[in-house]
Amino acid sequence: MNIDATFWVAVSFIIFLGLLVYFKVPNRVKSILDEKINFIKNQINDAEKLKDEAKNLLSEHEKKISNSKIEIKQMLDKANEEAEKNILKTNSNFHTLMDNRKKDAENKIQQMKNQAMKDIKNTSIEIAIESVERLLKNSVDKSKLDKLYLSSLEETKLALKKKSS
């Protein structure tokens, strides 16, 4: 029998497979692969949990941002309303102040007018009295003049007092 090299390669291959089975190499390879598969599955599960947590955090922060935007809008609206109220109040106060000043000015003008009228009346009375005195001094003698002057003076004063009152 002639045994060729192929036979010996086949025999050595069978012995090699037998040794692998004897030393439980396939079970060890399988257990190592199972461990790696389990490790990868755990990492994928952890990654999915982190992804879910990130989504939850993102949604919470988006809610907070939208709530903040709503609050900011409400604050701006409130500030605008208060500003408008303050403008209206200030405007009203200004008009009231101007009306009061106008009334005060009108009262002062009226008082000054009344005073001027009184001054004009008093001055005209004095001028009239002086004119009558001069006229009487030049036309009537002294005794008649004094009597006439005193009576005219009293009558004029009474008439002026009646008109002034």
Side-chain angles (χ1 to χ4, degrees):
M1 271 208 234
N2 202 354
I3 299 176
D4 62 350
T6 341
F7 174 75
W8 288 112
V9 169
V11 170
S12 63
F13 182 72
I14 292 175
I15 292 173
F16 175 73
L17 287 177
L19 286 173
L20 286 177
V21 171
Y22 177 75
F23 288 111
K24 298 181 182 178
V25 171
N27 287 340
R28 286 186 185 165
V29 169
K30 183 183 176 198
S31 67
I32 289 172
L33 289 175
D34 287 341
E35 286 177 15
K36 288 287 183 182
I37 290 171
N38 287 335
F39 179 73
I40 291 171
K41 283 182 181 178
N42 288 338
Q43 284 185 336
I44 290 173
N45 290 338
D46 289 343
E48 287 178 0
K49 287 179 185 176
L50 290 174
K51 180 182 170 185
D52 291 339
E53 288 178 16
K55 283 183 181 179
N56 289 339
L57 286 173
L58 179 64
S59 66
E60 286 178 19
H61 286 292
E62 286 175 347
K63 286 180 186 177
K64 286 181 182 179
I65 288 172
S66 65
N67 288 341
S68 297
K69 287 180 181 179
I70 292 170
E71 287 179 20
I72 288 171
K73 186 179 181 213
Q74 289 173 347
M75 287 178 178
L76 287 175
D77 291 342
K78 185 176 179 182
N80 286 336
E81 287 175 14
E82 288 180 14
E84 288 177 13
K85 286 179 184 177
N86 287 339
I87 288 170
L88 292 175
K89 182 179 177 183
T90 303
N91 194 15
S92 174
N93 289 343
F94 175 75
H95 286 293
T96 304
L97 179 66
M98 288 299 113
D99 288 342
N100 289 340
R101 286 185 180 177
K102 181 180 175 183
K103 288 177 185 176
D104 290 344
E106 288 173 352
N107 288 340
K108 286 181 182 179
I109 290 170
Q110 188 63 37
Q111 287 174 356
M112 291 172 72
K113 182 179 177 183
N114 292 340
Q115 185 62 39
M117 291 300 288
K118 286 181 183 178
D119 290 344
I120 290 171
K121 284 181 184 179
N122 289 339
T123 305
S124 63
I125 290 170
E126 289 175 7
I127 291 172
I129 290 173
E130 287 176 10
S131 297
V132 169
E133 278 181 354
R134 276 192 228 129
L135 183 64
L136 290 176
K137 280 184 185 178
N138 292 336
S139 62
V140 182
D141 66 358
K142 186 122 176 125
S143 65
K144 286 182 182 180
L145 181 65
D146 285 337
K147 288 179 187 177
L148 185 60
Y149 171 72
L150 291 176
S151 67
S152 295
L153 186 62
E154 292 299 321
E155 287 176 15
T156 306
K157 285 181 181 179
L158 288 174
L160 287 175
K161 284 183 182 178
K162 287 180 184 177
K163 285 185 178 181
S164 296
S165 300

